[in-house]
Amino acid sequence: MPEAVPTETPTARQTMSAAEHCAAARDEFANAQHLYASDPDEYRRAMDSASMHLRIAEVMTQGSSLVTEIARAETNPAWKSIRMNAVHEATAWNELLGRVR
């Protein structure tokens, strides 16, 4: 019986920062440029991969902004409205991800 070939890309097995995701997207875009005329299927795969990396980087950056705002709001009573909005946003994400406490 033949061995199964892993379908994961090497970048899917490692933890990456937002900056590393942006760099991976840049590399995929460059790869897609070279594939545009020669291999439409690989071109689409490279573009999809680049788009995925950019979306992950955006979510990571937005998440860190949310954490920062919550930390600032918790230490300053004048930021009550931001604290309430940030808690609501975090709760909505937790529910979406199935991590309700």
Side-chain angles (χ1 to χ4, degrees):
M1 180 172 223
E3 238 179 83
V5 177
T7 57
E8 295 180 80
T9 60
T11 55
R13 294 183 191 156
Q14 61 189 357
T15 303
M16 297 171 67
S17 69
E20 289 168 324
H21 277 289
C22 287
R26 182 194 61 224
D27 294 343
E28 288 289 353
F29 280 130
N31 184 34
Q33 272 186 316
H34 296 295
L35 296 169
Y36 179 71
S38 62
D39 190 347
D41 291 335
E42 275 301 302
Y43 166 77
R44 176 55 32 214
R45 187 213 54 80
M47 291 298 286
D48 288 345
S49 178
S51 177
M52 175 211 56
H53 281 293
L54 288 178
R55 287 192 309 264
I56 290 172
E58 182 180 13
V59 167
M60 292 173 80
T61 350
Q62 291 298 319
S64 64
S65 291
L66 177 62
V67 169
T68 302
E69 287 302 314
I70 290 173
R72 289 176 68 188
E74 287 177 346
T75 61
N76 187 346
W79 290 52
K80 183 178 179 183
S81 64
I82 290 177
R83 182 173 56 240
M84 291 173 65
N85 288 336
V87 168
H88 173 73
E89 186 72 22
T91 302
W93 275 105
N94 284 339
E95 288 174 3
L96 176 67
L97 298 173
R99 298 180 188 162
V100 178
R101 295 176 192 201

